[in-house]
């Protein structure tokens, strides 16, 4: 079963076994349903049905509350702690349902799967947008809706400026010496460039010979 896929599927259904439901012979019941998208709360009475739904992505935690009598009857209350999109916090109660610990674990597991699926969608959207922008502008955006993007995740690398290799001949001092002092100074500069790896030994010897020929 694909959690939080396009097609909503029912995972679990249950009804309250509280005093009201037993006293009315089931004519007034609380029905609950867990799907791959929502947790539904349905109140059913004579001629009246009310349904509420909670997106699973809004569920923060799930607890169980039981009295001693409920434990003997294998029923209990499942407390679903919710944070709405506007930041409002509330707790919804699945009242007096059978095997509450199993239901709690099932809801927690489904919520966890929904969060994983939502996170993966964000990564996929970021990668798709990064690829689209790279194809049109040659640039990978750094963020998307507050989520950092990695160029590697998009399978693209942002092109950098071409690297210009230094021309060692251009780095050598101009040969314009006219006096022995100037020739010696240029020879020292050439020696430093050779030691630094800017000028090759062959180039050094050629320039040295040219300078010495001017003496």
């Amino acid at each position: 079963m694909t959690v939080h896929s396009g097609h909503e599927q029912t995972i679990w259904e249950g009804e309250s076994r509280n005093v009201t439901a037993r006293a009315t012979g089931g004519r007034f019941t609380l029905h609950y349903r867990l799907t791959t998208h929502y947790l539904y709360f349905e109140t059913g009475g004579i001629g009246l049905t009310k349904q509420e739904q909670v997106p699973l992505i809004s569920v923060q935690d799930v607890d169980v509350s039981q009295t001693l009598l409920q434990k003997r009857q294998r029923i209990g209350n499942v407390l679903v702690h919710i944070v709405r999109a506007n930041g409002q916090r509330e707790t919804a109660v699945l009242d007096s349902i059978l095997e509450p610990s199993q239901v709690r674990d099932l809801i927690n597991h489904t919520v966890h799967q929904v969060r994983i699926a939502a996170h993966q969608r964000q990564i996929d959207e970021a990668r798709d947008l990064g690829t689209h922008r790279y194809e049109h502008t040659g640039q990978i955006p750094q963020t998307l809706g507050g989520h950092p993007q990695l160029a590697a995740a998009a399978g693209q690398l942002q092109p950098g400026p071409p690297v210009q290799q230094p021309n060692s001949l251009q780095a050598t001092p101009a040969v314009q010496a006219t006096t022995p002092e100037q020739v010696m100074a240029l020879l020292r500069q050439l020696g430093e460039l050779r030691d630094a790896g800017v000028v090759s030994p062959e180039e050094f010897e050629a320039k040295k010979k040219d300078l010495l020929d001017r003496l």
Side-chain angles (χ1 to χ4, degrees):
M1 180 178 296
T2 302
V3 175
H4 214 280
S5 61
H7 179 63
E8 185 177 11
Q9 303 175 62
T10 297
I11 298 175
W12 168 85
E13 289 184 88
E15 292 184 349
S16 173
R17 300 193 178 191
N18 61 15
V19 175
T20 302
R22 294 197 300 269
T24 60
R27 288 176 296 176
F28 184 86
T29 62
L30 298 172
H31 183 80
Y32 310 106
R33 184 163 63 97
L34 173 66
T35 73
T36 51
H37 292 67
Y38 298 97
L39 180 60
Y40 292 92
F41 298 78
E42 182 178 294
T43 302
I46 299 176
L48 177 64
T49 300
K50 179 182 178 182
Q51 186 181 83
E52 297 181 8
Q53 63 187 41
V54 175
L56 294 183
I57 199 68
S58 299
V59 176
Q60 296 298 303
D61 196 14
V62 186
D63 295 322
V64 169
S65 174
Q66 284 180 294
T67 65
L68 292 176
L69 179 60
Q70 285 178 322
K71 286 182 178 180
R72 287 198 292 268
Q73 297 174 341
R74 296 169 55 205
I75 63 176
N77 302 332
V78 176
L79 312 178
V80 182
H81 305 293
I82 304 163
V83 177
R84 299 289 185 178
N86 60 4
Q88 179 182 351
R89 296 178 178 272
E90 59 185 87
T91 298
V93 180
L94 281 65
D95 182 41
S96 301
I97 59 174
L98 186 64
E99 304 295 350
S101 296
Q102 294 181 14
V103 175
R104 173 202 59 198
D105 295 343
L106 183 59
I107 295 174
N108 274 328
H109 174 75
T110 307
V111 169
H112 178 67
Q113 294 300 313
V114 166
R115 292 187 182 280
I116 291 177
H119 181 64
Q120 185 60 49
R121 283 198 306 275
Q122 291 176 343
I123 294 176
D124 293 342
E125 290 171 1
R127 180 169 58 244
D128 293 342
L129 182 60
T131 302
H132 177 77
R133 180 171 174 180
Y134 179 84
E135 291 173 349
H136 285 77
T137 67
Q139 295 180 352
I140 296 295
Q142 297 301 313
T143 59
L144 173 64
H147 298 282
Q149 287 192 49
L150 299 178
Q156 302 288 346
L157 293 177
Q158 183 173 354
V163 178
Q164 183 176 1
Q165 297 295 333
N167 189 332
S168 59
L169 292 177
Q170 294 177 354
T172 59
V175 181
Q176 297 178 350
T178 58
T179 66
E181 292 77 11
Q182 291 175 332
V183 170
M184 295 305 297
L186 289 174
L187 283 173
R188 283 195 297 271
Q189 292 180 31
L190 281 170
E192 293 174 356
L193 291 173
R194 179 199 58 192
D195 295 340
V198 177
V199 175
S200 67
E202 292 78 9
E203 290 172 334
F204 171 77
E205 292 298 332
K207 291 291 183 180
K208 177 182 175 182
K209 182 179 183 303
D210 183 49
L211 287 172
L212 292 177
D213 287 344
R214 290 174 179 270
L215 292 177

